Amino acid sequence: MLELIVISTLNGVLFGMLLFLLSSGLTVIFSMMGVLNFAHASFYMLGAFFGYQISKWIGFWPALIFAPLLVGALGMAVERYGLRQTHKHGHVAELLLTFGLAFAIEQVVQMIWGKLPMDYRVPALLDFPAFTIFSTNYPAYKMFMLLVSVVIFIALLIVLKRTRVGLIVQAALTHPSMVAHLGHNVGRVFMLVFGVGTALAAVAGVIAGPALVTQSDMAALLGPILFVVIVVGGLGSLPGAFFASLLIGLVQTFAVSMNGSLASLFGPLDPSIGPSLLTDVWNVTIAQIAPILPYVLLVLVLIVRPMGLMGTRET
Amino acid sequence: MTNAIEMRAVEKSFGNVRIIQDLNLTVAKGERHAIIGPNGAGKSTTFNLISGHITPTSGAINLNGESIGGLRPFEINRRGLSRSFQVTNVFAKMTVWENIRCAVLWATGHRYAFWKNVDNLPEVRRRTAEILEDIHLTHRRDVPAGLLTYAEQRELEIGITIAGGANVIMLDEPTAGMSNTETDRAVALIRRLTEGRTLVIVEHDMSVVFGLADRISVLVYGNIIASGTPEEIRGNPKVKEAYLGEEDH
Amino acid sequence: MTELTSRAPSPTGSAPARNIGFYAAWGLFILAVILLPLIFRSGGSHTTFSLIGIAAIFALSYNILLGQTGLLSFGHAVYYGLGGFLAVHGMNAIAAHGLPVPLPFVPLIGGFAGLVFAVVIGWVSTQRAGTVFAMISLGIGELVASSSLILRSFFGGEAGITTNRTDLPALFGFNFGPQIQVYYLIGFWLVLSAIAMYALTRTPLGRMCNAVRDNPERVQFIGYDPHVIRYLSFCFAGFFAGIAGALAAINFEIANAAYLGAVQSGIVLFATFIGGISYFFGPILGAVVVTMLQLELSDITTVWQLYFGIIFIGIVMFAPGGLASLLMMHRPLVRAGTLPMVLPAYLVAIVPTILFACGVILTIEVLAAYSQGTAASSTIRLFRIPFEAANPMTWLAAAVLTIGGFFVARMTWRGVTAAWDRAMMAARERGYHA
């Protein structure tokens, strides 16, 4: 039992950090540019697939460097030639552009790599158990993932708090219109922010690929959860995104390992009650509803605290 | 007699920054009251506090004797207060006619009705036509509001504000950006349309202020430093020092 | 969030001129619905028209949210799907208990389901507008779609729930077995729904929906609560989506989780947006185009969904008002008689544009052939000209057409813009602005 709790906590924190890698980039892009990048999870997926492909050709470690750079460059191109063009039509158009982009990227990935999972292997250097908790071996690769996430998190914190660019980004988080008035080359800043944001997503993809499944539906599965994270945390709030990421990461991980259900608590229903909504709800295990828990959390938060846990901005 | 608007010891802070401090304002019924002050004094914030756009950190705001602090804008509007905006805030894609008509719908009791054809409501048509006549825009009734000239848009803005029949009208710099002739026209319009109603107006143009207002309040650094008739304000040394000396019209 | 939706003219154009054109347009629409299956008599055509009809009702309901009220939803299929499921269960119950409810009334069951769920879910959903509303709709859509796989007794799991539309009592001798009868049922509900939804735009609520779309802040200061307006709009949209879902269930005699899912929500968004959100007939046009693309493209190429995405992106970037806007844009030119000023420029621009498109198509198809491993044997037929996927000449052609076509097309489109400006100025001088 304790073993389960410890392992689940580790995995939950890991998943939460991964979500934060993604949601932080998304939050910064949204705060600075006012556009919610619907394709953010798609860049994560591209990171995983580019990582896989480069790993096959050259190796994992070069992939860790080149894949995010490639995706970041792609992101900058999207901003320069896509978003900037649609900016004059308003935020709806920008959101729809990223939506169309997400769709198109999924199609391209399916076209090139197919619909089956890729054999994206953990690099040999890290393919050993890091430590043993009770009777379970905890893989070193997962510790590596945690390490990378924490390092990036700290780097993000330093850049935000200590550098000039970071100051601008912080200002943009609460007063986006002011950034435009500050006289900076707004176009270049936007391109950079979008590129860095998508590169961050790609890093998450490169390192998550071997641990989670690398498949063409990655983006479609993770995307909605990502948006739940930022709405629950409060749109435009980085600390909110951090807490919401950890919360959802932990909740989902714990839920998946729990096989409890109303039936297990109170005993099975009278067999004479045929299949019905009641029996469905009675017999469903927590593990089965784990995928929808984030959305349940979304609805709860919306009812109780519509601006999100730490939301400060009105859209 | 209850005052139209009463603000007592109102304070508004954004985080640690105190924008409005210990604000006391009294506007009597039927009075034409102007609020003047240097830029950044908090005039728009005061307007937003009264109209419900932002909530006071502390203090009381009363409309016709009822407390309205903390109510939402449409709730305050339904209690008889209507305001215009500094930046023209019309429905740009709808025609002039449709703009005024929307402003008339609630007051004529049609609310959220989805079973009536809006073109077949004679009372609505009558009132809309009347207001269009009042603001001299009947000849432009089918033009999308976004295509009007600036002065026409400001007049439409005023029209939308009074269309609902509110008895307390707040106008935020209605003549901003207008030429002298346009300003004179707008002032005549305002004077005619607010006959018998309470008017609170924020203005920078002193000729408008002194020509229109019964009473003037001077707002500096979030505080009313003087309140009285135009003669009293003109002669007030504090006001001269803080504000009037630099103004030219 | 409102710039795109509010820069479009209100759906009825200028003041609702009840002129000949208005009634003629509606008359033509009804006539088309009645006559089309008599002109195109094949079973395949009847199926196509049925699908278009369903898609049109769905898209019109979606535009109540997007085009009318400025609400972008990524989860509208929830009401479509729930309408379908309740219709299927209703039909099965009617058949099982011998209830005297003929098939034509079943869409009302769907509509009612859509309405009820919109009433329940809508209040919380519509608290915020803009981006937050979009994200909430996505979350709730996923919630319902995922729940449908858990609640197997109601939703039938992956297989869904089937029904038989001929088991219901016949009406005037029609048992709705043949597709043509189903088509006319759909057509009837399409005309009825379209008229109802149009009438809604002419009510006080409808006008205030437009106002909320254009300027939610101002709406408060004329006495309206934007939340209530959005909520009511949401309920109507759910109602008509439910009708469309029920008709789909009748047509396919099945309702499954796909009805509720993100893909279905995406398709209606595509259709409505491509058709044009700022004109009432836009969604109908979009439904026609998207349905035809779905049916025809999938026969020609394996990667038809990619073309879908590219077309959508193209519309978002270059014609965000949709096809309807592109058409109606020409109205002042037609009325002023200055249309001939742009036609030559169009003709000049068409050829390089088509060549560019061919280059892009060739590139995509070659890539697709290679990734599927069929390159050696694959032939791409473009305008009856066969291109061998593995032939380097094909690659060369693709490259030349794409790159060369792009630059030449760009030049010709500059010519179009110039001609257009001249034509518009001439139209304005003659007094035609819209």
Side-chain angles (χ1 to χ4, degrees), chain A residues 3-86:
Chain A
E3 166 184 349
L4 188 67
I5 294 182
V6 171
I7 299 283
S8 291
T9 309
L10 274 172
N11 284 335
V13 169
L14 188 59
F15 187 39
M17 291 303 285
L18 201 73
L19 281 177
F20 182 63
L21 265 183
L22 289 167
S23 57
S24 59
L26 190 59
T27 299
V28 171
I29 290 175
F30 176 72
S31 296
M32 287 215 75
M33 302 167 62
V35 54
L36 194 61
N37 182 14
F38 206 92
H40 206 71
S42 307
F43 288 105
Y44 157 78
M45 176 167 74
L46 281 178
F49 274 88
F50 285 178
Y52 159 72
Q53 201 61 54
I54 300 180
S55 294
K56 255 179 73 175
W57 288 335
I58 314 179
F60 179 79
W61 302 102
L64 190 59
I65 303 188
F66 286 119
L69 284 177
L70 267 173
V71 174
L74 201 65
M76 291 205 284
V78 163
E79 197 285 323
R80 174 75 182 77
Y81 297 109
L83 285 175
R84 211 173 291 188
Q85 167 88 325
T86 23

Side-chain angles (χ1 to χ4, degrees), chain B:
Chain B
M1 183 171 78
T2 38
N3 289 313
I5 295 180
E6 228 175 85
M7 295 176 80
R8 284 200 296 271
V10 174
E11 269 187 26
K12 180 61 190 174
S13 311
F14 290 105
N16 292 332
V17 185
R18 203 132 48 115
I19 306 286
I20 303 286
Q21 44 196 338
D22 193 30
L23 187 75
N24 296 289
L25 180 69
T26 307
V27 179
K29 273 210 182 116
E31 187 175 276
R32 291 206 180 97
H33 199 109
I35 300 180
I36 64 176
N39 278 321
K43 301 193 293 295
S44 283
T45 311
T46 307
F47 252 45
N48 288 335
L49 280 167
I50 301 175
S51 66
H53 203 85
I54 50 183
T55 28
T57 315
S58 69
I61 306 179
N62 289 344
L63 175 71
N64 294 323
E66 266 181 75
S67 169
I68 57 169
L71 287 184
R72 282 175 299 168
F74 65 90
E75 291 170 318
I76 297 177
N77 179 271
R78 290 176 193 170
R79 281 172 168 70
L81 182 145
S82 187
R83 69 165 288 182
S84 75
F85 292 84
Q86 198 174 6
V87 178
T88 312
N89 218 1
V90 297
F91 301 111
K93 275 304 153 187
M94 296 170 119
T95 64
V96 170
W97 173 267
E98 290 175 336
N99 265 268
I100 299 287
R101 183 176 59 191
C102 281
V104 161
L105 278 174
W106 185 268
T108 47
H110 292 294
R111 318 225 164 157
Y112 306 104
F114 51 84
W115 52 88
K116 311 177 195 175
N117 185 340
V118 76
D119 301 313
N120 286 343
L121 302 170
E123 177 66 15
V124 169
R125 282 233 291 270
R126 196 188 56 80
R127 273 178 79 144
T128 309
E130 209 176 280
I131 292 169
L132 266 188
E133 234 346 277
D134 282 342
I135 60 175
H136 304 308
L137 283 179
T138 310
H139 60 294
R140 303 278 270 161
R141 54 169 278 172
D142 288 327
V143 178
L147 295 181
L148 294 174
T149 69
Y150 178 74
E152 285 174 329
Q153 279 188 12
R154 299 300 286 162
E155 283 167 3
L156 178 61
E157 175 89 29
I158 296 173
I160 295 176
T161 307
I162 57 116
N167 50 37
V168 180
I169 309 285
M170 301 195 351
L171 299 179
D172 197 346
E173 299 195 36
T175 66
M178 286 187 182
S179 69
N180 282 337
T181 0
E182 291 167 341
T183 303
D184 290 337
R185 245 179 66 146
V187 169
L189 188 69
I190 294 171
R191 192 178 284 121
R192 195 158 42 83
L193 290 177
T194 56
E195 204 63 59
R197 305 191 225 214
T198 312
L199 172 68
V200 182
I201 178 169
V202 165
E203 253 303 340
H204 277 299
D205 188 335
M206 285 303 128
S207 66
V208 172
V209 172
F210 285 111
L212 198 55
D214 300 326
R215 288 175 60 86
I216 302 176
S217 292
V218 184
L219 188 66
V220 179
Y221 288 133
N223 198 286
I224 304 265
I225 63 169
S227 194
T229 64
E231 294 73 42
E232 289 168 3
I233 295 298
R234 248 198 276 252
N236 188 314
K238 271 196 292 179
V239 173
K240 280 207 189 126
E241 175 196 333
Y243 182 46
L244 268 180
E246 311 144 29
E247 264 297 325
D248 58 285
H249 53 97

Side-chain angles (χ1 to χ4, degrees), chain C residues 270-286:
Chain C
F270 275 11
T272 312
F273 194 78
I274 290 177
I277 63 176
S278 35
Y279 289 93
F280 185 78
F281 70 91
I284 302 179
L285 185 59

Side-chain angles (χ1 to χ4, degrees), chain C residues 48 51-52 55 59 264 266-275 282-298 304 308 311-312 315 323:
Chain C
T48 305
L51 294 178
I52 292 177
Q264 188 65 263
I267 292 176
V268 72
L269 167 57
F270 275 11
T272 312
F273 194 78
I274 290 177
I284 302 179
L285 185 59
V288 172
V289 169
V290 164
T291 309
M292 300 288 307
L293 277 179
Q294 267 185 299
L295 293 173
E296 304 298 319
L297 268 188
S298 51
W304 61 275
F308 227 75
I311 293 174
F312 181 73
I315 299 261
L323 295 173

Side-chain angles (χ1 to χ4, degrees), chain A residues 89 92 111 276-277 280 292, chain C residues 1 4 146 152-153 305 371:
Chain A
H89 298 308
V92 176
M111 186 172 81
S276 67
L277 271 175
D280 285 331
I292 67 169
Chain C
M1 185 78 177
L4 172 69
S146 308
R152 311 185 80 84
S153 56
Q305 285 175 312
S371 68

Side-chain angles (χ1 to χ4, degrees), chain A residues 15-314:
Chain A
F15 187 39
M17 291 303 285
L18 201 73
L19 281 177
F20 182 63
L21 265 183
L22 289 167
S23 57
S24 59
L26 190 59
T27 299
V28 171
I29 290 175
F30 176 72
S31 296
M32 287 215 75
M33 302 167 62
V35 54
L36 194 61
N37 182 14
F38 206 92
H40 206 71
S42 307
F43 288 105
Y44 157 78
M45 176 167 74
L46 281 178
F49 274 88
F50 285 178
Y52 159 72
Q53 201 61 54
I54 300 180
S55 294
K56 255 179 73 175
W57 288 335
I58 314 179
F60 179 79
W61 302 102
L64 190 59
I65 303 188
F66 286 119
L69 284 177
L70 267 173
V71 174
L74 201 65
M76 291 205 284
V78 163
E79 197 285 323
R80 174 75 182 77
Y81 297 109
L83 285 175
R84 211 173 291 188
Q85 167 88 325
T86 23
H87 184 72
K88 56 179 177 281
H89 298 308
H91 290 320
V92 176
E94 287 175 316
L95 180 55
L96 286 176
L97 177 67
T98 58
F99 176 70
L101 202 63
F103 184 73
I105 291 179
E106 178 172 348
Q107 294 306 313
V108 170
V109 165
Q110 262 184 25
M111 186 172 81
I112 300 182
W113 282 282
K115 297 193 188 185
L116 298 172
M118 298 288 109
D119 184 22
Y120 191 2
R121 300 251 182 89
V122 173
L125 198 63
L126 292 167
D127 198 2
F128 61 91
F131 50 80
T132 315
I133 296 241
F134 305 90
S135 57
T136 317
N137 294 328
Y138 203 73
Y141 185 71
K142 287 203 174 172
M143 294 309 293
F144 166 70
M145 284 171 75
L146 198 60
L147 182 68
V148 171
S149 309
V150 170
V151 164
I152 292 183
F153 172 58
I154 295 180
L156 214 67
L157 215 63
I158 295 178
V159 164
L160 276 182
K161 301 277 185 194
R162 296 287 157 98
T163 68
R164 222 180 61 159
V165 174
L167 217 64
I168 299 172
V169 171
Q170 273 196 78
L173 283 171
T174 45
H175 293 85
S177 50
M178 280 308 292
V179 174
H181 298 309
L182 283 174
H184 294 274
N185 184 341
V186 183
R188 188 125 48 95
V189 174
F190 278 8
M191 206 166 73
L192 203 69
V193 167
F194 204 80
V196 168
T198 51
L200 269 178
V203 168
V206 173
I207 62 175
L212 309 174
V213 176
T214 302
Q215 201 172 355
S216 62
D217 62 355
M218 283 169 95
L221 288 175
L222 199 61
I225 299 184
L226 195 57
F227 297 120
V228 170
V229 163
I230 60 168
V231 173
V232 166
L235 267 179
S237 162
L238 267 182
F242 181 69
F243 285 118
S245 302
L246 280 180
L247 177 66
I248 289 179
L250 284 166
V251 164
Q252 255 205 302
T253 311
F254 269 94
V256 162
S257 56
M258 289 161 72
N259 279 313
S261 65
L262 286 172
S264 62
L265 264 182
F266 298 114
L269 283 175
D270 192 330
S272 64
I273 306 178
S276 67
L277 271 175
L278 181 60
T279 54
D280 285 331
V281 171
W282 196 262
N283 291 320
V284 73
T285 64
I286 299 185
Q288 282 176 311
I289 65 171
I292 67 169
L293 281 177
Y295 307 115
V296 174
L297 192 63
L298 173 72
V299 174
L300 283 173
V301 166
L302 282 173
I303 296 177
V304 171
R305 202 184 150 82
M307 78 284 291
L309 290 175
M310 297 174 111
T312 48
R313 277 184 57 189
E314 289 290 323

